[in-house]
């Protein structure tokens, strides 16, 4: 179960290392996936998210943050870092901005019903595919670790993961980011 934003901020105020760890566990993967919507195929998304975390902690922004503003703040910082990067590289146009605003809105509106629907869709996947999705996406295990646990080849893991994600993308276009927030 994830810590709440209030618990994360409280932990940051008491112990920056522990709070930073909680912040990372809760928001790193969703923010990287969000950054990837702005920078598809780029390997700088992780760098931007790490930089946002670094500045958030270094500048002690958390001292003035309310729990209900934490997610919005982090997603907006990542969005602006990505857009500035693309602007500096002259890769952005006006039409992209609307798409990015919609992506941010989607990332910010996580309804319990949608999460339940995604969980049900995962449960409806074939057993082996479900196990692989759960292991890699939800429990953050490595491909080889999953292959070893299930006594299958790493190529089978990759193939079934791709198949499962394709199925979920068809059912939930534009909401796959939420899979990374479903940790149990």
């Amino acid at each position: 179960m994830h810590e709440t934003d209030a618990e994360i901020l409280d932990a940051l105020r008491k112990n920056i290392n522990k709070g930073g760890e909680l912040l990372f566990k809760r928001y790193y993967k969703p923010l990287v996936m969000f950054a990837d919507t702005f920078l598809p195929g780029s390997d700088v998304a992780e760098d931007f998210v790490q930089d946002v975390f670094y500045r958030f902690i270094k500048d002690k922004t958390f001292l003035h943050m309310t729990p209900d503003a934490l997610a919005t703040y982090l997603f907006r910082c990542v969005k602006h870092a990505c857009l500035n990067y693309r602007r500096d590289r002259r890769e952005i146009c006006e039409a992209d901005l609307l798409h990015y605003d919609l992506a941010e809105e989607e990332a910010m509106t996580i309804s319990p019903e949608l999460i339940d629907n995604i969980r049900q869709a995962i449960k409806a996947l074939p057993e082996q595919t479900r196990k692989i999705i759960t292991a890699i996406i939800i429990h953050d295990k490595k491909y080889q670790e999953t292959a070893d646990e299930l006594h299958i080849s790493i190529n089978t893991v990759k193939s079934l993961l791709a198949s499962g994600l394709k199925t979920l993308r068809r059912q939930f276009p534009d909401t796959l980011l939420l899979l990374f927030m479903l940790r149990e």
Side-chain angles (χ1 to χ4, degrees), residues 5-183:
D5 289 350
E7 291 169 331
I8 292 170
L9 290 172
D10 189 46
L12 279 165
R13 291 177 182 123
K14 290 179 181 172
N15 179 330
I16 286 182
N17 291 332
K18 177 65 175 164
E21 183 179 317
L22 295 176
L23 180 73
F24 184 88
K25 284 171 81 175
R26 172 67 178 92
Y27 282 105
Y28 182 74
K29 200 174 258 191
L31 287 171
V32 169
M33 293 297 295
F34 180 63
D36 279 338
T37 65
F38 297 97
L39 308 166
S42 175
D43 56 355
V44 296
E46 290 185 22
D47 295 337
F48 287 133
V49 172
Q50 290 171 10
D51 187 55
V52 165
F53 284 160
Y54 173 77
R55 282 184 281 123
F56 181 75
I57 292 171
K58 179 183 171 276
D59 297 343
K60 298 188 181 200
T61 307
F62 59 86
L63 292 175
H64 312 289
M65 183 73 49
T66 60
D68 58 329
L70 179 61
T72 302
Y73 176 82
L74 293 172
F75 278 95
R76 288 221 171 119
C77 286
V78 168
K79 173 186 170 185
H80 290 294
C82 294
L83 292 178
N84 288 340
Y85 175 80
R86 291 204 52 203
R87 182 200 63 217
D88 293 345
R89 296 186 63 181
R90 304 201 193 298
E91 294 179 356
I92 196 163
C93 68
E94 289 295 320
D96 288 338
L97 293 174
L98 179 58
H99 168 75
Y100 297 142
D101 286 340
L102 293 173
E104 179 183 15
E105 186 176 313
E106 175 66 32
M108 298 305 302
T109 57
I110 303 166
S111 74
E113 296 82 21
L114 181 57
I115 292 173
D116 286 340
N117 289 342
I118 293 173
R119 284 189 174 138
Q120 291 304 315
I122 291 170
K123 286 179 184 175
L125 292 170
E127 181 180 0
Q128 199 77 316
T129 304
R130 182 180 65 247
K131 286 179 181 178
I132 291 168
I133 294 276
T134 302
I136 293 173
I137 303 298
I138 298 176
H139 297 295
D140 208 20
K141 292 185 178 180
K142 305 274 186 228
Y143 289 7
Q144 188 62 56
E145 181 182 5
T146 302
D148 292 344
E149 285 178 6
L150 297 174
H151 307 292
I152 57 177
S153 75
I154 195 165
N155 287 335
T156 301
V157 168
K158 291 177 182 179
S159 175
L160 290 176
L161 177 65
S163 170
L165 290 176
K166 185 176 180 181
T167 299
L168 293 171
R169 279 189 192 102
R170 274 195 305 264
Q171 290 180 298
F172 303 97
D174 304 327
T175 60
L176 194 58
L177 167 68
L178 297 177
L179 285 174
F180 296 96
M181 298 180 164
L182 295 176
R183 293 181 186 250

